[in-house]
Amino acid sequence: EWVTFLLGQGVSCEQPDAAGRTPVHIAIELGLIPILEQFRVKAKFDFRKQDEEGQLPIHWAAAAGQQETIEWLLANKAG
């Protein structure tokens, strides 16, 4: 899978784009739970980490209306 490949090449799931959004932000906003799971397991991303505005990933999911993602975050102790 491409996420595994990119992480294996040293690409960070925390590297922001020109708008300041990271791959984690985008995956949360789109509800891409399988990708979030890879970030959690393979990249050891801390989903309890606040962004520059003090927001947690669960806040991003709520703002995007991603109920399933919120439930996944809570189930993985990220809320």
Side-chain angles (χ1 to χ4, degrees), residues 16-22:
D17 64 11
R21 295 180 348 152
T22 67

Side-chain angles (χ1 to χ4, degrees), residues 22-56:
T22 67
V24 173
H25 284 104
I26 295 166
I28 286 175
E29 291 171 0
L30 296 176
L32 302 174
I33 294 171
I35 291 174
L36 295 172
E37 182 66 20
Q38 288 191 43
F39 290 156
R40 184 182 71 81
V41 173
K42 295 181 177 157
K44 308 289 188 233
F45 183 81
D46 181 3
F47 287 93
R48 295 168 296 179
K49 182 178 175 183
Q50 294 179 337
D51 64 15
E52 294 174 357
E53 297 175 1
Q55 299 294 305
L56 295 167

Side-chain angles (χ1 to χ4, degrees), residues 1-2 9 11 20 37 49 56 67:
E1 147 135 2
W2 64 270
Q9 297 298 311
V11 174
E37 182 66 20
K49 182 178 175 183
L56 295 167
Q67 183 63 36

